[in-house]
Amino acid sequence: MWERVIRRAGLPVAYSKGFSPRPLLSFGLGLPTGCESTAEYLDMVMEHPVDQGGLAPELSALLPGGIDVLALAEVAGDAGSLQQDVTSCTWEMAVAEASDGELAERIASALAAESLPFVRERKGREQSADLRPAIVSLEQYRSDGCRAVLVAELSTRPLGVRPVELASTLGVKSSSTRRTHQWIDHGGAREEPLPLDAPNGARLEACAP
Amino acid sequence: MSSLWPRIEPLLEKVSKPARYIGEEMGAYQPRHGAGRVAWLLAYPDTYEIGLPNQGLQILYEILNEREDALAERTYAPWVDMEAAMRAEGVPLFSLETHRPAGDFDVLAFNIAAELTVTNVLNMVDLAQVPIRSDQRGPQHPLVMAGGHCAYNPEPMAPFVDALVMGDGEEVVGEITEVIGGWAVAGCRSREDLLKMLAKVPGVYVPSLYEARYEGGRLAGVRPMEPGVPEVVAKRTVADLAEWPYPKRQLVPLTEVVHDRLNVEVFRGCTRGCRFCQAGMITRPVRERPARQVEEMVASGLARTGYDEVALTSLSSADFSGIEGVVERVVRGVGEDDVAHAGPSQSVQRPSGGPVSVSLPSLRVDAFTVGLAAQVQRAKRTGLTFAPEGGTWRMRRVINKLITEEDLYAAVDAAFSGGWRRVKLYFLVGLPTETDEDVLGIADLARGCAEIGRRYHRNVTVTVSVGGFVPKPHTPFQWFAQDTVAEQRRKVNLLRDALRGVRGVALRWHDPEASVAEGIVSRGDRRVADVIEHVWSHGGTFQEWSEHFDLRLWTEAMAAAGLSLEECVHSELGEGDVLPWDHISAGLHRDFLWQDWQDALEARAVTDCRWTPCYDCGACTGAGIEHVVASPVPPAGGSQGTGQDLTEALVAALLAQARPAVGTAEVPMVGTVPVPVSETVPVPVPVALGAPTPGGSCVGTRPAKLIRGPV
């Protein structure tokens, strides 16, 4: 999809050398199927610098409905790959069938636990792992009669935990999940791959119609 | 608005590949429903990935949506996980554009391109909450229609489909729309009235108005039950492709599909006369698109979609007049004068974006073709595919695929010396008059090809892909007895033994059991409908997929319907026997087909009538049209891909063994000069609810999904 959009936009993207040249694009961490996101990143290597004025809306218009370019910036050629640099992600989950009080209790007990074992199926084999070290933070916001929203920052290594795994370990059912941030850790100070002037997307609608 | 989206969305996280069900493709319409617009739901009875690229469906989708009095949406067969989720929640089959229930449309129109998708048609109708049999439907139900190549024997689907359309669909969909629109305005008239009105539209077959009679357990004829209903329904043919530059806005999916590229149809029809090939017989005459229009469609299509690959589709694209020039201009970029070559061995670069590659599905077997392939595939030289179909020259004369051993070896030599390391060869077994020698000839050719390859590379792969032949209606082989599963297996085993331990050769084969089920649907009569319903009601959907195909379901269903495989599939028919499709005309004279069948049995070949005299097959004369071929001379490579020009010597050699003239055709004179075909009279187009699938053609008769192996 991105390759087609780039060609339609006429962007001077660099191609790999060799017998089967491909445009030099690298995506960040994959977004699990079924999740929404307001924080996805893509590195594109250009043949030469491009004028970024108006490029974001232009690309948005060429992208399928629901996918928009929020910001663009030039990064140094020696910047690391997104896949390796991103250390944690923030997720918001609309939680069904749990009162605020219940959810707060579950959060508190999860944070107090020394380990949170869970089972992951991989290549047909079941592996057990500990989810607790991956939780950087865990909280809830907003209730006023609507569904509660669970906000979790989960680290990507050594074990990348999927939000659905967190939900099932906490014993809650999430009706929709959205990635809102990807974080790069710089010796304790974390920042996002791109500083966003615009508000980073809307918060997850807790009162979905 | 009656969108089912709020009920569909929660299902998506539970199923594989949810993007199949959301729509949102680039090029999709968002049609407005309402009075005065006939609502068509165009359905492809296989998965989204297989169905979305279908050009026939996309062409009709655009034509209908451009009309003021019609609109069209699309749907595909939900995969088994989605079907289970939909049934559990009571969600009916829905359209992709507005997610409306299929039952809300006026027409539910299926493209039936492959025999084994018929059980999916029933399943989709049932999922639409519409009775599967026409006689149980009422005024509240949509009309269920079908078209596509399998419609040419409509009888197995006769009780399920209200009306079938034969031939090119571009014009007839408009006529059907007008009939339905007029009927809707008239208000109180019955569904029966509508069907009778539709039966008067040329090319439309309404099975419920015909009666099938049997005598002594055999079909004795299918006849109209009342006056005003045509005795023979003749296919529709669009005279001039130039008038139908569709698709203009090819759909670009959000997810990966087969043939994921721009597709531009360069011509329709084929007169090479391969006797096993239904597509070549039923789509005659040849109608080329003007080269200039091809180039424009390529240029605008690439710019609009962002694809970096375009397929020039037809049944034999190397036969397109002036193909070399067209390919060269396409690769260079139409209208771009300054061509930047990135380097000696690199692809041509376009000013914006990377290299554009051209793919030519269904190539002939000759060195010219490989040269063409080299021109368009500078980047990825992974594999080349040839389809000699028969193992010996005798066999290839029987099937009229006139490729000599030298042609094949020259092509393979050109491929390996040009940098390719993998060659794939398609063959059929179970062909008429076939002997074990013919089967073993396949092994000899494969060995020969691998040896040529090793002259150029240390490691080469020659993949031999073998399909079991299924006789098709409206071909010279329609009278032939299909091989049994046991016989097909025996032949495959002969090949396995012959190729065991041969370096560089891999054998793959199509499941012989699937070929038998295809045979049941391919040439069955109306009684086969019960078989199809039985297979469907016992869980037999997605029968094109090896993981779901189950021959036991089919044999049980045959027994339940009191039919025998021996009689239905494995018996040879005579000239006087009634064929289930005798009341359908694909334009071909029955006596032409019979004569061609007799010629086949004598291993007599015929040349391509585009460039040599007419054999009066009926396709042109019957429809009052003729071939539209821009060039009066055959392309380099010559007739039938023999690698030889159509010189007097070749013509003489072929005509020396020519058959007696059929009908009114004159006996071609030895040494006849190819007859120029008018450039100025353009001729016709695709298919009812189903133009050729890109990559279709004789090669496409075997779904790759069912190919097993290697040994």
Side-chain angles (χ1 to χ4, degrees):
Chain A
M1 177 184 84
W2 275 100
E3 290 184 29
R4 293 195 295 260
V5 167
I6 286 161
R7 280 190 290 269
R8 288 163 61 205
L11 281 181
V13 172
Y15 278 72
S16 62
K17 304 277 178 261
F19 232 38
S20 186
R22 309 299 320 164
L24 296 173
L25 305 178
S26 61
F27 297 88
L29 301 166
L31 184 68
T33 305
C35 294
E36 304 171 11
S37 177
T38 54
E40 296 304 301
Y41 297 90
L42 165 65
D43 281 343
M44 302 190 252
V45 182
M46 296 290 157
E47 288 282 359
H48 51 78
V50 292
D51 177 12
Q52 292 168 37
L55 193 53
E58 188 193 330
L59 288 174
S60 296
L62 296 173
L63 284 160
I67 302 178
D68 290 312
V69 173
L70 300 175
L72 292 146
E74 212 172 295
V75 294
D78 57 359
S81 83
L82 285 167
Q83 189 109 31
Q84 284 170 11
D85 284 357
V86 173
T87 47
S88 64
C89 300
T90 302
W91 300 90
E92 296 190 358
M93 284 180 266
V95 175
E97 296 160 19
S99 71
D100 286 354
E102 276 170 17
L103 187 59
E105 264 173 44
R106 287 181 193 182
I107 289 171
S109 67
L111 290 175
E114 274 186 20
S115 75
L116 289 170
F118 74 106
V119 174
R120 167 181 289 184
E121 202 171 306
R122 215 171 167 174
K123 291 175 185 161
R125 290 222 327 259
E126 294 200 335
Q127 281 179 350
S128 60
D130 185 7
L131 190 139
R132 180 63 189 88
I135 300 178
V136 179
S137 70
L138 194 59
E139 56 189 27
Q140 67 169 314
Y141 80 87
R142 136 145 219 204
S143 51
D144 54 307
C146 298
R147 286 172 296 173
V149 173
L150 182 67
V151 184
E153 185 182 337
L154 299 174
S155 66
T156 58
R157 63 177 72 118
L159 179 73
V161 172
R162 290 188 277 266
V164 61
E165 292 169 334
L166 173 69
S168 69
T169 305
L170 291 180
V172 297
K173 219 176 143 190
S174 69
S175 58
S176 63
T177 304
R178 174 181 294 179
R179 175 147 69 191
T180 57
H181 301 275
Q182 297 192 36
W183 301 107
I184 297 173
D185 185 66
H186 286 291
R190 57 171 209 182
E191 60 182 36
E192 296 189 77
L194 269 185
L196 268 188
D197 301 335
N200 191 0
R203 301 218 83 172
L204 190 61
E205 288 293 327
C207 293
Chain B
M1 293 301 282
S2 47
S3 170
L4 293 167
W5 184 248
R7 293 170 66 199
I8 295 165
E9 194 176 10
L11 308 180
L12 297 181
E13 63 175 347
K14 301 175 189 160
V15 301
S16 56
K17 304 189 183 173
R20 287 166 165 169
Y21 311 107
I22 63 175
E24 292 288 326
E25 302 91 343
M26 178 189 171
Y29 285 81
Q30 282 296 321
R32 278 211 345 265
H33 290 247
R37 282 174 176 265
V38 175
W40 292 69
L41 182 57
L42 305 179
Y44 193 92
D46 207 328
T47 60
Y48 179 82
E49 295 79 40
I50 308 283
L52 179 115
N54 185 276
Q55 295 295 288
L57 195 145
Q58 291 200 23
I59 289 166
L60 301 185
Y61 179 68
E62 288 187 21
I63 289 174
L64 287 166
N65 277 317
E66 284 178 2
R67 293 179 66 99
E68 294 287 310
D69 60 352
L71 63 90
E73 302 197 31
R74 295 163 296 124
T75 191
Y76 306 90
W79 188 242
V80 288
D81 56 356
M82 184 62 171
E83 183 198 337
M86 287 163 65
R87 288 193 188 273
E89 298 295 324
V91 174
L93 185 73
F94 54 87
S95 66
L96 284 200
E97 284 79 359
T98 63
H99 298 98
R100 207 170 276 261
D104 284 5
F105 285 77
D106 298 310
V107 185
L108 180 52
F110 289 91
N111 178 339
I112 312 181
E115 283 88 0
L116 296 187
T117 62
V118 290
T119 58
N120 281 9
V121 173
L122 268 57
N123 200 44
M124 291 171 77
V125 172
D126 184 60
L127 261 179
Q129 300 173 354
V130 171
I132 59 160
R133 288 193 176 250
S134 320
D135 59 12
Q136 323 236 310
R137 292 183 202 128
Q140 73 276 28
H141 295 122
L143 275 179
V144 177
M145 299 190 63
H149 287 184
C150 292
Y152 278 95
N153 175 17
E155 290 309 288
M157 293 300 279
F160 309 123
V161 180
D162 295 308
L164 293 105
V165 179
M166 309 298 152
D168 298 337
E170 281 89 340
E171 294 167 342
V172 72
V173 288
E175 296 163 24
I176 293 170
T177 297
E178 283 159 22
V179 168
I180 297 173
W183 171 80
V185 169
C188 57
R189 281 187 290 180
S190 69
R191 195 174 172 96
E192 285 68 37
D193 289 338
L194 172 60
L195 291 175
K196 281 179 201 168
M197 287 157 70
L198 285 174
K200 291 192 168 62
V201 176
V204 176
Y205 172 57
V206 178
S208 59
L209 300 179
Y210 294 74
E211 177 189 32
R213 287 181 304 107
Y214 304 91
E215 278 166 19
R218 304 196 74 157
L219 183 69
V222 180
R223 308 265 313 145
M225 291 190 287
E226 51 191 280
V229 178
E231 282 183 29
V232 172
V233 176
K235 74 162 179 184
R236 296 295 294 265
T237 307
V238 184
D240 188 357
L241 272 197
E243 287 178 13
W244 301 95
Y246 293 90
K248 294 171 183 167
R249 42 189 280 182
Q250 184 183 313
L251 293 164
V252 183
L254 306 181
T255 178
E256 257 179 69
V257 299
V258 302
H259 310 304
D260 201 357
R261 60 194 178 204
L262 182 70
N263 293 294
V264 175
E265 186 182 26
V266 295
F267 68 87
R268 198 171 297 177
C270 181
T271 44
R272 292 210 162 259
C274 301
R275 291 171 173 138
F276 55 87
C277 178
Q278 188 192 35
M281 292 288 164
I282 63 178
T283 60
R284 296 172 173 206
V286 172
R287 290 146 291 156
E288 289 191 356
R289 191 183 293 289
R292 197 148 183 111
Q293 190 178 53
V294 168
E295 291 164 17
E296 284 163 9
M297 287 174 74
V298 170
S300 65
L302 289 174
R304 191 187 69 81
T305 61
Y307 274 123
D308 62 348
E309 182 181 354
V310 56
L312 303 178
T313 67
S314 73
L315 293 172
S316 181
S317 294
D319 289 343
F320 184 65
S321 300
I323 183 73
E324 283 174 294
V326 169
V327 163
E328 197 208 318
R329 284 188 292 277
V330 166
V331 171
R332 204 181 63 204
V334 181
E336 290 159 12
D337 294 322
D338 43 352
V339 181
H341 286 273
S345 66
Q346 293 234 345
S347 306
V348 171
Q349 302 281 328
R350 294 195 163 223
S352 67
V356 169
S357 64
V358 180
S359 65
L360 299 165
S362 316
L363 284 179
R364 296 191 317 247
V365 184
D366 57 37
F368 165 76
T369 291
V370 176
L372 206 55
Q375 191 185 344
V376 302
Q377 278 200 317
R378 292 168 206 235
K380 301 175 271 187
R381 290 196 182 173
T382 45
L384 268 190
T385 301
F386 301 107
E389 309 288 2
T392 58
W393 173 237
R394 190 200 72 79
M395 189 77 258
R396 293 190 294 274
R397 285 207 316 274
V398 170
I399 62 176
N400 208 47
K401 186 126 191 183
L402 302 183
I403 296 155
T404 62
E405 213 164 280
E406 293 73 40
D407 293 330
L408 176 64
Y409 288 153
V412 168
D413 193 289
F416 284 128
S417 66
W420 278 279
R421 281 155 196 254
R422 276 193 318 211
V423 164
K424 195 171 184 181
L425 303 175
Y426 274 127
F427 291 97
L428 289 167
V429 295
L431 291 164
T433 77
E434 185 176 70
T435 64
D436 287 356
E437 193 189 327
D438 295 316
V439 175
L440 292 169
I442 295 173
D444 294 337
L445 288 179
R447 248 193 309 266
C449 290
E451 275 165 27
I452 292 171
R454 278 194 293 274
R455 285 183 214 150
Y456 299 99
H457 309 288
R458 257 165 59 93
N459 286 309
V460 293
T461 309
V462 175
T463 303
V464 174
S465 187
V466 177
F469 173 59
V470 179
K472 300 288 171 94
H474 307 281
T475 68
F477 290 172
Q478 63 185 355
W479 289 280
F480 175 62
Q482 184 176 331
D483 266 2
T484 60
V485 172
E487 180 63 3
Q488 278 190 31
R489 282 229 173 90
R490 190 186 68 79
K491 287 172 178 171
V492 169
N493 284 334
L494 273 181
L495 269 179
R496 286 175 64 169
D497 291 342
L499 288 172
R500 189 158 286 147
V502 175
R503 217 178 114 211
V505 178
L507 179 66
R508 288 167 185 271
W509 60 92
H510 183 70
D511 182 0
E513 295 193 342
S515 304
V516 169
E518 284 167 25
I520 295 170
V521 180
S522 169
R523 292 187 301 158
D525 62 38
R526 211 170 264 213
R527 292 171 295 181
V528 165
D530 289 343
V531 176
I532 295 168
E533 183 173 350
H534 181 106
V535 172
W536 164 70
S537 64
H538 288 72
T541 57
F542 288 104
Q543 295 292 286
E544 285 276 321
W545 295 71
S546 53
E547 67 262 46
H548 289 286
F549 175 75
D550 186 356
L551 182 63
R552 204 171 37 85
L553 279 179
W554 291 87
T555 51
E556 283 169 8
M558 287 290 280
L563 297 172
S564 94
L565 267 184
E566 192 51 45
E567 208 171 293
C568 259
V569 180
H570 304 308
S571 295
E572 183 149 334
L573 301 168
E575 188 176 10
D577 284 324
V578 172
L579 303 172
W581 52 93
D582 272 344
H583 58 302
I584 303 297
S585 169
L588 304 158
H589 295 153
R590 204 178 196 266
D591 60 356
F592 161 79
L593 291 173
W594 180 258
Q595 183 59 51
D596 209 34
W597 171 226
Q598 300 308 303
D599 287 344
L601 295 173
E602 302 290 329
R604 275 197 300 263
V606 298
T607 50
D608 190 322
C609 63
R610 248 173 301 193
W611 303 298
T612 56
C614 175
Y615 295 104
D616 195 23
C617 72
C620 295
T621 47
I625 48 180
E626 60 181 277
H627 299 299
V628 181
V629 183
S631 166
V633 291
S639 177
Q640 297 286 355
T642 58
Q644 299 157 309
D645 288 337
L646 244 194
T647 56
E648 291 190 12
L650 175 71
V651 174
L654 288 168
L655 295 185
Q657 39 169 342
R659 76 294 199 53
V662 182
T664 58
E666 289 173 22
V667 181
M669 300 298 293
V670 171
T672 310
V673 177
V675 177
V677 182
S678 164
E679 290 180 49
T680 51
V681 184
V683 196
V685 185
V687 176
L689 322 177
T693 307
S697 92
C698 17
V699 173
T701 55
R702 287 165 231 106
K705 289 168 290 182
L706 283 168
I707 289 173
R708 305 228 169 111
V711 183

